[in-house]
Amino acid sequence: MSPQTLSLTIDPAASAAPFEQVRTQIADQARDGALPVGYKLPTVRGLAEDLGLAANTVAKAYRALETDGVIETRGRNGSFIAAAGEAADKEAAAAAESYARRVRRLGLDQRAALAAAENALRATYGADA
């Protein structure tokens, strides 16, 4: 069995900024299991050099990934893929609870609140949501 490796491609013509391309591709690979929990990511400088990007661009992506719970940084030891499923589930539940309380304060009934959430999901995920 071959070890998993990080595979990123930056498209300079894409509408998404390079840091967002890095963030999205790492998050997708972690979610799909292509990068397992505990996988050590390249250093910020090393990845920036490999991709032809500024170190600050990769650092911004790593910070966003850490905020999202996809990676964890262990100081000088580096950055690793985290067990993000549980963290993401908890954050989603907290966001849903906050939304439910907010729409109730606004006076929306459950049907209207659910319709608003579904519309937002369709806008974010596309027509399949």
Side-chain angles (χ1 to χ4, degrees), residues 84-108:
E86 187 175 311
D89 289 345
K90 285 181 182 178
E91 189 170 337
E97 183 178 349
S98 175
Y99 171 75
R101 288 183 179 165
R102 171 83 181 186
V103 295
R104 185 170 185 176
R105 280 195 309 270
L106 293 171
L108 273 67

Side-chain angles (χ1 to χ4, degrees), residues 9-27:
T9 304
I10 303 303
D11 179 359
S15 61
F19 95 88
E20 181 61 21
Q21 292 180 53
V22 171
R23 188 203 65 76
T24 300
Q25 290 178 51
I26 292 174

